[in-house]
Amino acid sequence: EIPSDVTVIAGGTSFSLHKFPLVSKSGYIRKLVSESMDAHVSIIELPYIPGGADAFELAAKFCYGVNFEISTENIAMLRCVAEFLEMTEEYAVVNLIGRTEAYIKEVALTSLPGAVFILHSCEDLLPVAENVKLVSRCIDTIALIACRDSRFATPKSVEFCDSVSHNLPVSKPVVDWWAEDLTLLRIDLFQRVIVKMISRGFKKYALGPILMLYAQKSLRGLELFEKGRKKIDTKQQHEKRVVLEMMVGLLPREKNSMPVSFLSMLLRAAICLDTTFACRLDLEKMMAAQLAQAVLDDLLIPSYSLTGDTLFDVETTQRITMSFLESRMELNRVGYDADQSYIPHSSTEMEIVTRLMENYLAEIASDHNLSVPKFLDFAELIPEQHRATDDGMYRAIDIYLKAHPALSDMERKKICSLMDCQKLSREACAHAAQNDRLPVQTVVQVLYYEQQRLGEVMDGGVHETSPALDPPKTPEPMEIHPIQDEDSVSTLQRENEDLKLELMKMKMRLKDMEKNSSIKVPVDHANPSVISRTLSNAEKPPLPARKSILSSVSRKLGRFIRPEGNTLGSQGRVKAGKDRRHSIS
């Protein structure tokens, strides 16, 4: 054996080699030796060689003529190390660059799995892999094969996707066999693959399963931190934040292209990872566009502030519902979507969302930290004209009063003013009449309207088909009195809803200004009795009006005396109200 005359340190590993085989095929090493001041250079350092010691070992074997197998697993680093060492045809015939290029064209990039694996290998070989255009060639191959294969989207959807409306139901795209392979890629390369696929004609709505798989893989482990309320590592949080923000940018904006549950999961992760407000706003708008498909769990977004505030993020859900209501009102004005497609059954969607909002209000009502203004702000968003009955509103109010027993009489009256006692069902009226948590005035209103309906039923009045006595499919009370000009009434209703939304926007802006401001409103502690007298006088109804209501109720109840002598006299009702009010105070 000939003793070695040079030591090459590549990637932290020393190799005892000979100059002649290396210089004969590597232009880079030849330049190092020829340009060295020492004619007998014995040490060559290659600290930044792509692929490290493993790549240089294969290149050295090639220089010595040792046979080894070129495969998909090592082709990326072989091509990059050959480029780094300048192993071109200028220094030797059929050099390493030529051999690797032939394998890439003839074998590696002929299948989608091979292209995905090589692209994944290039993540640690940048920027050399980018300079030799290995990354771009892999991306082109993946996009070409994906768009050419008909299995990557259902045939019916691909054929008619451009002609159907975005809001109409389309066939769901299948989860292709290669989608799992794409989850191995880093987010920047994954994004480039998706963009290239779209540019080659891949349908955006068919990207849903791919994006869902990638999100599940890249955001894995985040749920444990949510449950445990632990602080995740700063580096890990930054990486996941970048992934999530780029994922949101790739989401298709077509309606019904992504499940609402998946969008809700991304929104929770965005809040937990403290992404940009624009990222969260995009997710909120996409959820609002499909709010009629959501379930209660999709809106129950936990609050990650850890400041002892509400259990759920009410403000985020409030923005989602406001966005939905604004879009519905705009569609009601024009009757067409942004792509000029007609929107049918908008009233059905409004009814579904109305019930969802009532269920959400009842769910958050049990939170002891939920303030009265927050409860009122969200409750006022629920459209009145789409509530067949107010049983859902009454249920939420009752839960809130039960969870907050220390409320003042004024706050209880404000909360109870949210519901229309005339739209309560028979069961709700019976419960409200015996509910000690309600203010006396509300109980009197419930009894008055209930006895009024009973009297009309006994007299065979036109109110026999009231929704409080019949199934929900019966006509609403507004149908009892025909309206001559229905267009003007619908216009007034839309204007009323517009004003309500504008008022809610102003309230939310005012809250944001109060949070950012450090100025506190001075309170006059010198004469609090003035404020007390003003509030007590303001909330106290005029005495004659109260007598007239009670006497009217008494006259109505007097006609329904039972044979046994049990009555629902007005005096017993008033006394019970007084006892209840006395016990509360």
Side-chain angles (χ1 to χ4, degrees):
E1 292 185 359
I2 302 175
S4 62
D5 55 356
V6 65
T7 300
V8 180
I9 303 176
T13 304
S14 299
F15 296 90
S16 299
L17 303 173
H18 304 84
K19 293 180 183 179
F20 179 74
L22 299 178
V23 170
S24 62
K25 293 187 178 181
S26 173
Y28 182 77
I29 295 180
R30 179 181 295 185
K31 291 178 183 178
L32 290 179
V33 173
S34 61
E35 294 175 0
S36 176
M37 300 299 295
D38 187 4
H40 303 284
V41 58
S42 60
I43 298 177
I44 299 175
E45 295 184 4
L46 304 174
Y48 304 110
I49 185 170
D54 295 336
F56 179 78
E57 183 179 0
L58 293 178
K61 287 182 178 181
F62 182 83
C63 293
Y64 278 87
V66 179
N67 293 329
F68 62 90
E69 182 182 2
I70 299 178
S71 63
T72 306
E73 287 75 13
N74 60 21
I75 186 62
M77 66 177 182
L78 274 177
R79 178 63 184 89
C80 292
V81 75
E83 184 72 18
F84 180 82
L85 295 176
E86 300 178 11
M87 302 177 70
T88 63
E89 303 295 322
E90 180 182 354
Y91 302 100
V93 181
V94 192
N95 211 339
L96 187 56
I97 290 181
R99 292 283 300 274
T100 53
E101 280 293 335
Y103 185 86
I104 290 173
K105 295 177 182 179
E106 298 173 5
V107 180
L109 296 184
T110 57
S111 65
L112 192 144
V116 172
F117 187 88
I118 294 173
L119 184 59
H120 177 58
S121 302
C122 291
E123 295 176 0
D124 299 327
L125 301 173
L126 298 175
V128 180
E130 197 75 66
N131 296 335
V132 300
K133 298 182 179 181
L134 186 58
V135 173
S136 59
R137 285 185 287 177
C138 291
I139 293 175
D140 289 340
T141 301
I142 296 172
L144 177 63
I145 298 177
C147 296
R148 186 182 61 192
D149 198 330
S150 61
R151 292 175 299 174
F152 303 141
T154 52
K156 185 179 296 185
S157 300
V158 173
E159 183 178 357
F160 299 107
C161 180
D162 295 332
S163 60
V164 298
S165 173
H166 293 305
N167 67 295
L168 295 178
V170 295
S171 300
K172 294 183 178 180
V174 297
V175 180
D176 297 289
W177 56 269
W178 51 267
E180 188 71 26
D181 296 336
L182 291 183
T183 60
L184 300 174
L185 300 177
R186 206 168 59 189
I187 183 60
D188 55 339
L189 298 179
F190 177 80
Q191 182 189 34
R192 291 174 61 180
V193 170
I194 297 299
V195 172
K196 192 66 176 181
M197 290 169 58
I198 296 174
S199 66
R200 284 188 173 271
F202 199 89
K203 303 304 178 183
K204 290 184 179 180
Y205 75 91
L207 294 173
I210 307 174
L211 297 176
M212 292 174 63
L213 282 175
Y214 192 88
Q216 292 173 0
K217 174 257 179 184
S218 57
L219 300 177
R220 187 177 301 161
L222 189 61
E223 184 179 357
L224 299 176
F225 293 109
E226 292 175 1
K227 291 181 179 179
R229 293 279 186 165
K230 297 179 182 178
K231 186 71 173 177
I232 67 176
D233 181 68
T234 304
K235 181 180 178 182
Q236 185 182 8
Q237 182 180 8
H238 175 72
E239 293 175 354
K240 292 184 180 296
R241 185 190 302 119
V242 171
V243 170
L244 184 56
E245 291 176 354
M246 297 184 72
M247 282 284 298
V248 173
L250 294 174
L251 292 177
R253 295 306 191 264
E254 290 83 0
K255 188 177 179 181
N256 302 328
S257 58
M258 303 296 297
V260 183
S261 58
F262 176 69
L263 296 175
S264 176
M265 184 271 291
L266 291 183
L267 182 57
R268 299 182 189 197
I271 298 174
C272 180
L273 295 173
D274 194 21
T275 60
T276 61
F277 183 75
C279 174
R280 285 175 281 176
L281 191 61
D282 286 344
L283 291 171
E284 292 173 6
K285 289 182 178 179
M286 284 187 279
M287 283 190 63
Q290 303 175 210
L291 192 57
Q293 305 172 12
V295 296
L296 182 59
D297 289 340
D298 297 333
L299 297 182
L300 294 176
I301 302 173
S303 178
Y304 300 100
S305 59
L306 298 176
T307 57
D309 201 355
T310 55
L311 182 62
F312 298 106
D313 194 341
V314 182
E315 295 180 355
T316 298
T317 307
Q318 189 170 346
R319 285 194 299 268
I320 294 173
T321 53
M322 287 182 65
S323 179
F324 171 81
L325 295 175
E326 289 176 355
S327 62
R328 288 295 98 185
M329 286 190 299
E330 185 65 26
L331 291 178
N332 289 337
R333 293 191 187 98
V334 298
Y336 291 87
D337 201 351
D339 58 352
Q340 300 300 318
S341 58
Y342 179 69
I343 303 297
H345 309 298
S346 59
S347 60
T348 304
E349 286 191 355
M350 288 296 299
E351 293 171 0
I352 295 174
V353 174
T354 298
R355 289 193 295 269
L356 179 64
M357 294 172 66
E358 288 178 340
N359 293 334
Y360 179 81
L361 186 65
E363 188 69 25
I364 65 174
S366 59
D367 189 354
H368 297 283
N369 294 326
L370 183 64
S371 62
V372 174
K374 279 190 176 182
F375 183 86
L376 293 174
D377 289 345
F378 190 87
E380 289 173 355
L381 282 177
I382 304 178
E384 297 180 7
Q385 67 272 22
H386 294 286
R387 301 202 304 250
T389 65
D390 265 21
D391 289 4
M393 182 64 70
Y394 169 68
R395 173 171 169 264
I397 291 174
D398 184 48
I399 294 174
Y400 189 81
L401 294 178
K402 184 177 181 181
H404 302 79
L407 296 178
S408 64
D409 291 340
M410 180 64 69
E411 291 173 332
R412 293 153 69 91
K413 290 178 183 178
K414 286 183 179 179
I415 293 173
C416 291
S417 65
L418 295 169
M419 66 176 176
D420 186 359
C421 298
Q422 288 182 287
K423 297 174 67 174
L424 293 178
S425 66
R426 184 169 50 189
E427 292 78 9
C429 286
H431 186 277
Q434 301 176 3
N435 194 341
D436 295 338
R437 292 182 286 272
L438 298 179
V440 177
Q441 292 85 346
T442 303
V443 176
V444 170
Q445 287 182 4
V446 171
L447 290 174
Y448 175 77
Y449 291 125
E450 179 65 13
Q451 292 305 319
Q452 189 179 41
R453 286 194 291 263
L454 288 175
E456 291 167 352
V457 171
M458 295 293 293
D459 297 338
V462 294
H463 292 271
E464 187 175 358
T465 58
S466 174
L469 303 176
D470 293 313
K473 292 184 179 180
T474 57
E476 296 184 1
M478 288 189 294
E479 296 182 5
I480 297 173
H481 305 285
I483 299 173
Q484 300 297 331
D485 192 358
E486 296 182 357
D487 294 336
S488 61
V489 174
S490 60
T491 303
L492 290 174
Q493 288 179 348
R494 288 196 299 267
E495 291 178 355
N496 187 23
E497 293 299 324
D498 291 343
L499 291 175
K500 282 188 176 181
L501 277 177
E502 291 297 330
L503 180 60
M504 293 301 302
K505 289 181 180 178
M506 293 177 64
K507 287 183 178 181
M508 294 186 70
R509 293 193 189 103
L510 183 59
K511 286 182 180 180
D512 295 337
M513 293 174 62
E514 290 177 352
K515 288 181 181 179
N516 297 330
S517 175
S518 59
I519 302 176
K520 297 183 179 179
V521 179
V523 179
D524 188 6
H525 298 281
N527 194 6
S529 61
V530 176
I531 300 176
S532 177
R533 286 197 303 271
T534 303
L535 291 176
S536 61
N537 292 333
E539 71 179 16
K540 190 179 297 181
L543 186 58
R546 185 172 182 180
K547 284 187 177 180
S548 63
I549 293 175
L550 293 179
S551 61
S552 175
V553 174
S554 177
R555 285 196 301 270
K556 292 286 184 180
L557 297 178
R559 297 189 301 169
F560 299 95
I561 302 177
R562 304 190 179 203
E564 293 81 6
N566 296 331
T567 65
L568 294 173
S570 60
Q571 292 180 350
R573 180 71 258 179
V574 173
K575 287 182 180 180
K578 290 181 178 180
D579 294 340
R580 185 189 304 110
R581 182 171 57 185
H582 178 72
S583 62
I584 292 176
S585 59

